[in-house]
Amino acid sequence: MMPDPSMSAWEPEIRPRQTVWQRLDHGARRLLPSLFIALIIIFFSAPLNIPGAAELLPALVIATVFFWSFWRPTGMSGVAVFLLGLFMDLVGFTPLGVSAFILLLVHGVAFYSRFGLMRLNFLLVWGVFALVAAAACLLQWGLACLFRLSMLDIAPALFEALLTIGVYPPLSALFSWILHRLDEKEDI
Amino acid sequence: MIPVSIQMRQALGKLVLPLLVLLSIGIIIGGQADRKLADKARMTVADGLAPLWGLMTAAQNRAQAISSSLREAGRMASENARLQKENDNLRRWYDVAVSLTRENDTLKTALHWIPEPTPAFVTGRVVADSGGIYARAVLLVAGTDSGVRVGNVALAANGLAGRVTETGARSARILLITDIASRLPVMLDASHATAIMGGDNTPLPRLMYYAQDTRPIEGERVVTSDQAGAFPAGLPIGTVHYLHPGQPVVVPFAQLDHLTMLRVFDFGQALIDPPEAPGHVPLAHPRQTLTLPLKTLLGQG
């Protein structure tokens, strides 16, 4: 038998070769969170007159990135986070690269502290997330101040931080349910 | 895919995140340095997404239209129910009206009622009054050529407006009921008590000389009275309103501050001539010349 040059041959564990369908399935699972964020970005940047859309979009994106980087880093790789952040910057009116930078930092924190965080219960995780979200929003505000070279009003940043913290529990419930369903399918 | 060892892959994996952070910082600085390029990239992405946004906006508009039409349908259903109820009520009133008209006819027939003559009327356009001795008067484009006489009654769409005081060949001046020179005998509709309505150049003419035991009631209808023979009885004027306790005024039905058309009625009141009564000295009729009673007296003598 010829050595298989495809990627699966270089995976650490030995697995049977995947069929096309299985590969599509896996790919879809990996892309699911990124697709969700992309759709959210497109939805919220459309002129639909949703109240608080400008604050709700970063809140949803930060919460989603944190959750998936924490529980399933395979579904939310660094490259995906970077591309999504860049996309958000391009669609929105933030300076180019700022969202990508902040989202990468959130991803990094969640990714490297995941083994510590996993032992904690939900409320503590939420507390850590609150700190991360507040830091992210303040960082965004600080960068905006830096680029404008003037002090901007901090109230929107605080509102965004509160919104981010508040949006995490329902999103986390939704994603936990999705993860549960995906794992069930995996078992079959 | 380049075949690399597991250790190499793990090392590369650890390097990805810092590299991406550095790249994003680079993009931030680059975007700040070359704003035109950043704006161009933004516009390219926006152009690509424009159809998608258009689709979403259209969907939203459609959803809003559907929801609003649903709400409208609900409102219309309730309105329909209300109208049906009102229609039933009105049908009942129609029956009542028909039976009352029949009864009225029978009673009139039984009493050998002499029908009142149908008044002739002309309609003219109101033009603003530029002169004259009255403060509240209007000029009507209809005069003696059209049959308008001094003393005719001018009615607006839904109430009394005034009286013709002067006539020209093609115009007539109408003294409105709000003028300070206007004094009309009126009747309170509920109590049938008489009073005098006197204008005072304000929009609300005052009620005077009403009997102290039948005071005007707030909201009561005020109609003309035929006491002095100037007006036929029962023309609607307005409703009673108390500005202060003890100071009743009439809120006219006619919108006297912006009149556009007026109907001038000739009720033929001047033609009603009381038959001669021997031994009775008639009082001076307001619009009959003073010679007439003298003539009567002379005739008597």
Side-chain angles (χ1 to χ4, degrees):
Chain A
M1 200 172 166
M2 290 283 287
D4 193 359
S6 77
M7 233 193 81
S8 59
W10 296 93
E11 292 284 339
E13 65 251 73
I14 296 156
R15 281 190 294 186
R17 257 194 87 178
Q18 292 175 320
T19 61
V20 177
W21 182 245
Q22 274 174 328
R23 271 195 220 188
L24 275 178
D25 191 38
H26 273 267
R29 271 172 212 196
R30 285 184 181 198
L31 280 177
L32 182 73
S34 311
L35 274 179
F36 174 77
I37 292 182
L39 283 180
I40 276 186
I41 291 170
I42 292 172
F43 180 78
F44 275 95
S45 53
L48 295 184
N49 292 327
I50 302 166
E55 284 86 11
L56 198 55
L57 171 63
L60 285 172
V61 172
I62 288 174
T64 313
V65 165
F66 184 86
F67 182 92
W68 288 95
S69 311
F70 170 37
W71 287 105
R72 283 296 147 88
T74 46
M76 186 61 76
S77 64
V79 180
V81 171
F82 173 75
L83 289 178
L84 285 172
L86 208 58
F87 180 54
M88 202 165 129
D89 284 332
L90 283 172
V91 167
F93 289 96
T94 42
L96 214 56
V98 167
S99 296
F101 178 61
I102 290 168
L103 286 181
L104 278 174
L105 289 187
V106 170
H107 168 74
V109 169
F111 183 69
Y112 284 114
S113 62
R114 54 196 294 252
F115 294 111
L117 285 176
M118 254 177 214
R119 280 194 293 265
L120 303 175
N121 68 2
F122 173 76
L123 281 180
L124 284 172
V125 173
W126 192 20
V128 172
F129 173 72
L131 290 179
V132 172
C137 292
L138 284 179
L139 182 63
Q140 195 179 10
W141 173 76
L143 283 173
C145 287
L146 188 68
F147 292 139
R148 298 274 166 81
L149 292 176
S150 64
M151 289 298 281
L152 297 174
D153 190 11
I154 199 169
L158 290 179
F159 175 58
E160 188 182 318
L162 284 177
L163 210 57
T164 315
I165 296 163
V167 98
Y168 183 71
L171 268 185
S172 135
L174 174 72
F175 293 143
S176 301
W177 179 75
I178 291 174
L179 269 182
H180 199 67
R181 293 297 300 272
L182 288 180
D183 287 349
E184 264 179 12
K185 275 203 162 174
E186 196 91 15
D187 290 342
I188 293 167
Chain B
M1 181 61 80
I2 312 152
V4 282
S5 70
I6 293 168
Q7 286 83 6
M8 192 71 171
R9 278 173 57 79
Q10 279 175 344
L12 277 176
K14 276 182 185 163
L15 267 179
V16 166
L17 195 59
L19 275 178
L20 284 173
V21 171
L22 282 178
L23 185 59
S24 64
I25 292 171
I27 286 176
I28 293 174
I29 294 166
Q32 291 299 311
D34 191 354
R35 300 225 172 175
K36 272 185 190 163
L37 191 69
D39 286 343
K40 211 171 173 184
R42 248 186 248 275
M43 285 326 293
T44 316
V45 173
D47 277 351
L49 285 176
L52 214 54
W53 285 332
L55 197 70
M56 283 166 63
T57 317
Q60 192 202 25
N61 287 345
R62 187 68 61 81
Q64 273 174 353
I66 288 172
S67 80
S68 76
S69 58
L70 277 178
R71 226 175 300 133
E72 185 77 3
R75 223 171 47 74
M76 266 165 71
S78 67
E79 178 81 8
N80 203 8
R82 191 183 70 75
L83 285 176
Q84 262 168 3
K85 205 187 271 177
E86 193 176 310
N87 205 11
D88 287 346
N89 197 14
L90 288 178
R91 208 177 292 275
R92 214 156 33 237
W93 276 113
Y94 172 77
D95 291 342
V96 171
V98 166
S99 67
L100 282 179
T101 313
R102 288 217 185 106
E103 191 186 337
N104 213 356
D105 285 346
T106 6
L107 289 176
K108 277 179 181 171
T109 319
L111 288 172
H112 301 289
W113 173 269
I114 298 158
E116 288 170 355
T118 317
F121 71 96
V122 289
T123 306
R125 189 170 288 282
V126 170
V127 291
D129 198 357
S130 52
I133 56 167
Y134 303 120
R136 298 283 181 272
V138 290
L139 214 59
L140 198 70
V141 190
T144 43
D145 287 358
S146 331
V148 176
R149 302 272 172 277
V150 172
N152 282 2
V153 179
L155 291 179
N158 41 14
L160 183 72
R163 245 190 318 171
V164 177
T165 55
E166 295 159 58
T167 49
R170 277 177 297 280
S171 69
R173 178 163 291 132
I174 287 158
L175 175 68
L176 297 182
I177 55 174
T178 48
D179 189 273
I180 198 154
S182 164
R183 294 283 186 279
L184 298 183
V186 295
M187 191 172 71
L188 306 171
D189 209 20
S191 58
H192 283 239
T194 52
I196 295 286
M197 184 179 74
D200 50 1
N201 286 355
T202 63
L204 306 173
R206 284 183 296 141
L207 274 180
M208 302 178 291
Y209 309 131
Y210 47 87
Q212 288 302 306
D213 54 344
T214 49
R215 289 170 186 278
I217 306 162
E218 171 81 36
E220 191 177 6
R221 259 167 61 96
V222 177
V223 296
T224 55
S225 151
D226 55 356
Q227 269 211 325
F231 285 99
L235 298 178
I237 300 175
T239 52
V240 174
H241 175 59
Y242 275 91
L243 288 178
H244 305 289
Q247 195 190 336
V249 295
V250 178
V251 182
F253 290 129
Q255 294 175 327
L256 297 173
D257 46 349
H258 42 87
L259 293 166
T260 51
M261 300 278 231
L262 279 181
R263 289 171 297 162
V264 177
F265 282 80
D266 187 1
F267 285 99
Q269 295 291 110
L271 301 180
I272 301 174
D273 211 1
E276 290 185 14
H280 175 246
V281 181
L283 295 169
H285 198 273
R287 265 176 295 98
Q288 277 168 347
T289 48
L290 277 173
T291 53
L292 276 174
L294 280 175
K295 215 184 272 175
T296 327
L297 283 174
L298 285 174
Q300 221 175 0

